[in-house]
Amino acid sequence: HDKDAAAAEGKGAYNALHLRRFRHSHEESLLSPADIGGAVGERFGDDGAVYVATDSKGDEADLLDHIDESVKIVALRNFITDIAKVDPKYYGMIDQVVASRSEKFLGTYHSSFTNGINRLRGYHTQKKQLSNQNGAIDSYYAAPKGKEGNMRVYKAVSKPFHAREYPSAWRSIDVGLDEAKTFKLGS
């Protein structure tokens, strides 16, 4: 089991979320702290650690009131002393890599930052052959309604292209041209 392997390697299992809280052009993707807390409880359960990649400048106090107190919330700011020599312009990339390695991920639809995390998650599953045959990953969207489980099923690329990532970005990208000519969906 992945949690057992992570524990054996000295790595803690965790879930992650990226939720745009401010300055987003797609209002239907912005959630209240209560809605975010409900989404975290629904997708991750009421215990464990959750890594938060956010644009809230370190103030998750309003969010904490809506997440079960047994959930340990951590963010990059908790590790600033460990990365003191890293240029802050790289913090966003660090957030993406950390979030991409989580067991489950909850992101924001229409967010290029969330899309980058999902693409990395897809690459990781292909390298370790962890995803199903169609390239679905254990990622979710908190909003808008009807989009929550989009990353859990295969979907061909469609408009609007910027709204989400697609399994074609990571699925079977290492096959040769001869293999690609005979490749069929679901194989």
Side-chain angles (χ1 to χ4, degrees):
H1 190 272
D2 289 336
K3 283 185 181 180
D4 297 333
E9 293 176 17
K11 300 175 185 172
Y14 62 96
N15 295 310
L17 72 112
H18 166 247
L19 296 170
R20 291 288 304 256
R21 303 278 307 283
F22 311 102
R23 300 175 309 278
H24 199 284
S25 60
H26 297 276
E27 292 295 321
E28 74 275 11
S29 295
L30 295 176
L31 296 174
S32 70
D35 290 337
I36 293 168
V40 167
E42 181 181 334
R43 297 295 176 205
F44 302 154
D46 291 332
D47 62 357
V50 174
Y51 182 83
V52 179
T54 184
D55 62 342
S56 73
K57 306 294 184 216
D59 182 14
E60 285 86 36
D62 59 341
L63 185 59
L64 294 177
D65 291 340
H66 301 280
I67 295 177
D68 190 282
E69 62 187 35
S70 63
V71 175
K72 180 178 178 164
I73 301 293
V74 294
L76 186 61
R77 71 180 179 334
N78 297 105
F79 305 98
I80 291 298
T81 57
D82 297 322
I83 60 169
K85 293 182 180 180
V86 175
D87 189 324
K89 70 182 176 188
Y90 297 114
Y91 289 178
M93 288 184 275
I94 294 169
D95 263 345
Q96 284 186 309
V97 170
V98 172
S100 77
R101 290 304 202 164
S102 62
E103 286 192 21
K104 293 180 184 176
F105 174 68
L106 180 64
T108 301
Y109 199 73
H110 291 291
S111 167
S112 58
F113 192 83
T114 284
N115 290 343
I117 293 167
N118 278 329
R119 184 175 288 210
L120 288 171
R121 290 175 62 75
Y123 292 153
H124 299 318
T125 63
Q126 294 300 291
K127 183 175 180 183
K128 297 192 184 245
Q129 298 179 342
L130 296 175
S131 69
N132 70 28
Q133 292 294 328
N134 288 331
I137 56 177
D138 211 2
S139 291
Y140 304 89
Y141 295 111
K145 294 290 182 205
K147 304 291 186 192
E148 297 93 338
N150 272 14
M151 297 307 298
R152 301 285 305 131
V153 295
Y154 178 84
K155 182 176 180 185
V157 177
S158 61
K159 292 182 180 180
F161 304 120
H162 68 280
R164 56 159 285 171
E165 271 302 320
Y166 296 91
S168 58
W170 58 82
R171 186 170 176 263
S172 301
I173 60 173
D174 292 329
V175 299
L177 289 177
D178 292 333
E179 294 172 84
K181 291 176 187 174
T182 61
F183 184 76
K184 294 181 182 172
L185 182 61
S187 60

